[in-house]
Every structure is written in structure tokens, then in C-alpha cells.
Amino acid sequence: MHTDRSAHDLRHHGDAEVRDDGAKLVDLAVNVRADTPPAWLRARIAESLTGLAAYPDGRAARAAVAARHGLPAERVLLTAGAAEAFVLLARALKVRQPVVVHPQFTEPEAALRDAGHTVDRVLLREEDGFRLDPAAVPGDADLVVIGNPTNPTSVLHPAESIVRLARPGRTLVVDEAFMDAVPGEREALAGRTDVPGLVVLRSLTKTWGLAGLRIGYVLASPETIAELERAQPLWPVSTPALAAAEACVGSQALAEAAHAAHRVAADRAHLVAGLGEFGPDGLRIVEPAQAPFVLVRLPRATAVRRHLRDLGFAVRRGDTFPGLGQDWLRLAVRDRPTVNSFLQALDQAITLTDH
């Protein structure tokens, strides 16, 4: 258990690697699925533009999301991406002792700190494969945040391990932003109403390539949803984003996402097999990877990342994640030709670093 206030840049995100001088690089830094949004989804969003004169009406999208998870609408809140949900949770809930399980997406802790909270950290350990030990979370924590599957470790925690964190008087926030990239969404808690204090966050921006549109949602008890909704500005989700939400939870979209999850799993296996060839160079992979990205440890990773940029590839530095240091890189899963090109570049980058 740490109350570490160290100099991790909690506001650094993968998109920083591909802005400005990185715009022409092959992007393995951002975890948005490539070649998205699909044409049918772009068309649905474009159709919504004729209604921009009216204020957004989120009822249909909210009902669609609720139906997708078998929940009543009052258990759903639509948000401007999962990032807005972290801010709402930090500001709206009366929290005394928040704990964030790291390494994970840094935005929840940043939002809590910005709201004036003192945040404790539970750091999962590399030697344990970054797996959750529920006993490591202090019993008096009244807010616990964990990602599943976790960004950046790509670890998928068993649902029942996470459920063991639930208790009366505690809000248990599970960030499932990448769960729809897991075949069968096994270990998902979305839709569960039997876990006290459970709040599940979902993002539609990763699988569908909508990071620029900002759309996600919260699933929680009606009381928690009402508290969060009171903290939201009026009309927080735009009409095009509402149209996207409704489209992305329909049966056609769910089938497409399921197919994409299997393709990601195959492409990830190809990436992991290729990375395995770099064992003699000291590269270690966090396995089993279950998300659309892979975390690796590599000697002199900072220099390797710099050489990769020169060779045309952007990867995500790991040292901004509490619990990780400068030897860590996160690699987004891409199609086989892209991965093959990347592995060749990695080979060159390691050679250049060694010299």
C-alpha cells in the first residue's frame, strides 16, 4: 500500500506519442482499433447531423444501452467517454479513503486528486504477473478503482477476485473500457446487480474508433446514477455521440465487435510469438495478455523507443504508470503485416541501442 506522490505524469496518454511530429508514425501507442469507425457507423453518425438544431435527447440511447446489458434505464448514465465518468465519480461521491489499484489507466487517480482527495495506491507486482490479490486492498477503503482487463498490463482479472473487493459502504469502480475486446467478455461484471456498490464503466471509443466523438457509459445502482447525473452539465453527450451509442449496442454491432475480439486475439498471439524471439535481448512479456495491447519490459527501453520513432513507429512509454519504470513499453495490437514491420524495426532499434 502506497500513498506515493511521485512524479509520474498522470496526464500523459498514448496520443501524445502521435501528435505533432509523431503524426506520420505507425501508431502502436494508442489502443483504438485500427481501420475504425466502420463505414456503416460513420453513415449513422452522419445521419444524425440533420438534427443538430435540437437539444440532444439521450432517452433512446440510454434505453438501448440498458437493453444491451439487461438492465433498467435508471441503472445507466451516458457520458462523454469513460474519462468524464472518472471526473463525475471523483466530484459527486462522498469519498474519504479512495484507493486506486496500479499499474492502471492514470485518469481515475488524476481526477480524484483534482477533486481534492488524497489517493492511496495498491501496487500490483511484476513477480505476481500484476494479478490482483484482494487482500492487498485496505479494508477501510470506501472507493476502490481497478481496470479489467487492465491498461497497461493486459491482465484480465477473474470476476470473482474483483467481487471479493465489494463490501457495504464501499464503491467498487471497475473500468471495463477494453472488455468488449475480450472474446465472450468473460470476467465481465457489466450487467451484474448482485454486487454491492458496483460501478462499471464502459467506453465505446476503443473498439469503434470514436475517441474523437467521446462516448461511454456508467452502469450502477439507480441511487449512484442519480448522484452522478446531478454532477453532469446539461446535455453532456452530443446528438452524434448518442446516435453512435445506440448504433454500437445493436445486434449487428455486437456481432461485429465479437468478431473483432477474436481477430484481435489472433493478431495478439502473432505479436506475442514475435516478441518471444527477443528473449535473448532481455525482453519480457507480461502474460497472458488478454487486451488489445501487450506490456513488455526491455533493457534501455527509452533509447529503443527513440530509435523506433526514427524508424517510423510510435509505442507507449510505460514509466508514467505508477508501479512501472523506464524499462517498460506498451504495444498496441495491430494486423499481421503491421506487426511484422514493427518486429523488424524493433530488431533494428535494439541493435542500434546496443551499439
Side-chain angles (χ1 to χ4, degrees), residues 189-208:
L189 290 171
R192 293 272 295 263
T193 57
D194 61 322
V195 182
L198 178 66
V199 176
V200 175
L201 308 185
R202 286 286 181 114
S203 167
L204 294 170
T205 62
K206 318 294 185 196
T207 287
W208 296 110

Side-chain angles (χ1 to χ4, degrees), residues 92-172:
L93 301 187
K94 289 160 189 61
V95 178
R96 293 181 316 284
Q97 291 182 280
V99 168
V100 178
V101 180
H102 285 287
Q104 79 143 336
F105 185 53
T106 51
E107 202 58 41
E109 180 173 324
L112 284 161
R113 286 196 192 185
D114 287 347
H117 298 289
T118 300
V119 182
D120 287 336
R121 295 174 177 172
V122 169
L123 299 181
L124 304 184
R125 303 179 327 154
E126 179 187 3
E127 50 268 39
D128 301 330
F130 296 111
R131 285 174 181 77
L132 171 68
D133 172 9
V137 176
D140 57 358
D142 59 353
L143 175 77
V144 178
V145 185
I146 185 167
N148 204 32
T150 301
N151 171 17
T153 62
S154 204
V155 170
L156 182 66
H157 304 288
E160 289 315 306
S161 291
I162 295 178
V163 167
R164 281 171 57 197
L165 294 174
R167 60 198 55 192
R170 170 183 287 176
T171 301
L172 173 59

Side-chain angles (χ1 to χ4, degrees), residues 110-353:
L112 284 161
R113 286 196 192 185
D114 287 347
H117 298 289
T118 300
V119 182
D120 287 336
R121 295 174 177 172
V122 169
L123 299 181
L124 304 184
R125 303 179 327 154
E126 179 187 3
E127 50 268 39
D128 301 330
F130 296 111
R131 285 174 181 77
L132 171 68
D133 172 9
V137 176
D140 57 358
D142 59 353
L143 175 77
V144 178
V145 185
I146 185 167
N148 204 32
T150 301
N151 171 17
T153 62
S154 204
V155 170
L156 182 66
H157 304 288
E160 289 315 306
S161 291
I162 295 178
V163 167
R164 281 171 57 197
L165 294 174
R167 60 198 55 192
R170 170 183 287 176
T171 301
L172 173 59
V173 179
V174 185
D175 176 9
E176 292 189 349
F178 294 100
M179 188 61 81
D180 60 354
V182 175
E185 295 199 1
R186 64 188 192 283
E187 314 305 343
L189 290 171
R192 293 272 295 263
T193 57
D194 61 322
V195 182
L198 178 66
V199 176
V200 175
L201 308 185
R202 286 286 181 114
S203 167
L204 294 170
T205 62
K206 318 294 185 196
T207 287
W208 296 110
L210 298 174
L213 195 62
R214 312 307 310 138
I215 179 66
Y217 54 89
V218 182
L219 306 174
S221 71
E223 298 75 26
T224 299
I225 293 296
E227 276 187 84
L228 298 178
E229 195 167 16
R230 279 195 292 275
Q232 264 186 324
L234 287 169
W235 312 292
V237 180
S238 70
T239 296
L242 292 170
E246 200 173 341
C248 290
V249 295
S251 55
Q252 173 197 347
L254 293 180
E256 188 174 318
H259 177 74
H262 286 285
R263 200 170 65 238
V264 164
D267 289 340
R268 182 180 59 236
H270 180 65
L271 172 61
V272 168
L275 292 169
E277 302 293 318
F278 294 93
D281 300 295
L283 186 145
R284 297 288 175 266
I285 310 162
V286 176
E287 292 191 272
Q290 303 281 2
F293 45 85
V294 175
L295 184 66
V296 299
R297 185 169 198 169
L298 180 65
R300 301 190 298 286
T302 303
V304 172
R305 185 171 69 91
R306 221 168 29 241
H307 287 307
L308 281 169
R309 286 184 78 83
D310 294 338
L311 293 164
F313 289 86
V315 300
R316 172 68 159 89
R317 56 192 272 212
D319 61 333
T320 64
F321 293 101
L324 301 183
Q326 298 208 335
D327 285 352
W328 294 92
L329 298 172
R330 190 191 69 195
L331 314 172
V333 173
R334 299 292 184 239
D335 61 84
R336 284 179 177 230
T338 304
V339 166
N340 290 342
S341 301
F342 166 72
L343 291 169
Q344 288 178 314
L346 180 61
D347 192 28
Q348 284 180 266
I350 290 173
T351 303
L352 288 165
T353 302

Side-chain angles (χ1 to χ4, degrees), residues 30-49:
V30 173
N31 291 326
V32 173
R33 187 162 64 100
D35 303 318
T36 51
W40 66 264
L41 181 53
R42 288 200 306 270
R44 286 284 292 274
I45 294 166
E47 282 168 28
S48 75
L49 300 181

